[in-house]
């Protein structure tokens, strides 16, 4: 009921205050995803096509000078897309969907309070949904404060309290991220119900125009296994590395990604090789090949899967 109440609150605010609204923006993103799995049990070895997990329609209204209403609808979820749930993060998976009120200048000129359902930042900030191991859209409140704001440097602090996945128990998040020149760094802590998770990450651009980009993320801690009905506790350790190169004066970009993770008794290594082509400023075609191998308890069980992914991403 609380989540539905937030939705209606946003809608009422948009409808009731049109004369007070300074700016209203409508936008969104459409992803058409096509993939060919080799041995993915959840896909039942079938080729599939559908909307990607970040296909959304959103509306933002600045109803007062320091009050913003944001509403987001997940199109893939609405049409029950056959591909959306197969390319999202496997632990703490949640559909991209946000409905919140944002009040600025709280606790100072650079403070902001967000109440409703929103994305909780954790780990590397600019990872795609399909590259995240831990990704949360949850209901609660989040307070952020910009401690340093200069042209070449910025430091932000954020605190969030949410009702937890499925409303099972409260979750708490504390994070700090900063930028200095070409370097971005972040550190996050999440805890709740006696479990905790820590994440540190960084990204840097090299060569002229940041043509070469390096990213890294390390996660360590405990969380509930939401992929099973028992929801047992899992110990998690994950190291993610990414290299991307944008060819000069070219629409082509190549990426190489690797994640080595231990989740409970399973040890998994995943490689991703990608080619991205920018047809226009708001239209990108992405081709990726995913190769995953895993070992079970005491390395007695081995297996693997591979996936060919073709995605067209249009932002409007």
């Amino acid at each position: 009921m609380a989540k539905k109440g937030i939705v209606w609150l946003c809608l009422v605010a948009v409808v009731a205050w049109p004369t007070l609204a300074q700016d209203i923006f409508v936008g969104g993103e459409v992803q058409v995803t096509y993939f060919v799995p080799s041995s993915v049990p959840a896909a039942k070895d079938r080729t599939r096509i559908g909307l990607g997990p970040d296909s959304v329609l959103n509306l933002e209204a600045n109803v007062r000078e320091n009050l913003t209403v944001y509403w987001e609808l997940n199109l893939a979820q609405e049409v029950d897309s056959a591909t959306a749930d197969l390319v999202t993060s496997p632990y703490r998976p949640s559909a991209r969907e946000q409905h919140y009120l944002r009040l600025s200048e709280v606790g100072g000129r650079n403070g902001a309070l967000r109440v409703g359902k929103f994305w909780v930042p954790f780990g590397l900030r600019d990872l795609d949904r399909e590259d995240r191991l831990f990704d949360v859209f949850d209901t609660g409140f989040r307070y952020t404060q910009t401690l340093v704001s200069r042209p070449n440097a910025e430091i932000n602090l954020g605190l969030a309290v949410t009702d937890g996945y499925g409303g099972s128990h409260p979750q708490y998040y504390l994070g700090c991220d900063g930028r200095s020149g070409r370097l971005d760094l972040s550190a996050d802590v999440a805890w709740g119900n006696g479990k905790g998770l820590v994440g540190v990450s960084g990204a840097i651009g090299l060569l002229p125009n940041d043509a070469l980009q390096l990213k890294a993320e390390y996660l360590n801690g405990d969380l509930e296994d939401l992929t099973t009905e028992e929801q047992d506790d899992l110990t998690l350790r994950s190291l993610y590395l990414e290299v991307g190169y944008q060819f000069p004066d070219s629409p082509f970009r190549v990426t190489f990604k690797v994640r080595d993770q231990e989740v409970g008794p399973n040890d998994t290594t995943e490689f991703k090789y990608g080619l991205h082509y920018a047809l226009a400023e708001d239209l990108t075609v992405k081709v990726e090949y995913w190769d995953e191998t895993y070992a079970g308890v005491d390395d007695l069980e081995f297996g693997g899967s591979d996936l060919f992914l073709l995605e067209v991403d249009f932002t409007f």
Side-chain angles (χ1 to χ4, degrees), residues 25 31 61 71 74 93 131 154 237 290 310:
F25 305 95
Q31 294 177 333
W71 175 81
N74 190 299
D131 297 323
E154 184 176 301
R237 181 202 60 80
W290 301 1
L310 172 63

Side-chain angles (χ1 to χ4, degrees), residues 212-232:
L212 180 65
Q213 292 188 333
L214 308 179
K215 303 178 183 179
E217 175 191 75
Y218 179 70
L219 307 177
N220 196 318
D222 300 304
L223 73 162
E224 288 180 331
D225 182 8
L226 300 177
T227 63
T228 64
E229 294 183 358
E230 292 80 10
Q231 296 187 5
D232 297 328

Side-chain angles (χ1 to χ4, degrees), residues 110-162:
N110 296 320
L113 178 65
R114 187 172 298 185
V115 180
K117 183 176 183 180
F118 48 84
W119 177 61
V120 183
F122 194 94
L124 198 54
R125 298 292 193 261
D126 58 353
L127 274 185
D128 291 332
R129 297 286 305 287
E130 58 263 29
D131 297 323
R132 288 189 174 277
L133 193 64
F134 181 91
D135 197 29
V136 176
F137 290 82
D138 213 343
T139 302
F141 73 86
R142 175 173 173 79
Y143 178 74
T144 58
Q145 179 68 244
T146 299
L147 304 179
V148 176
S149 180
R150 295 198 296 265
N152 293 320
E154 184 176 301
I155 299 178
N156 304 296
L157 183 66
L159 169 67
V161 180
T162 72

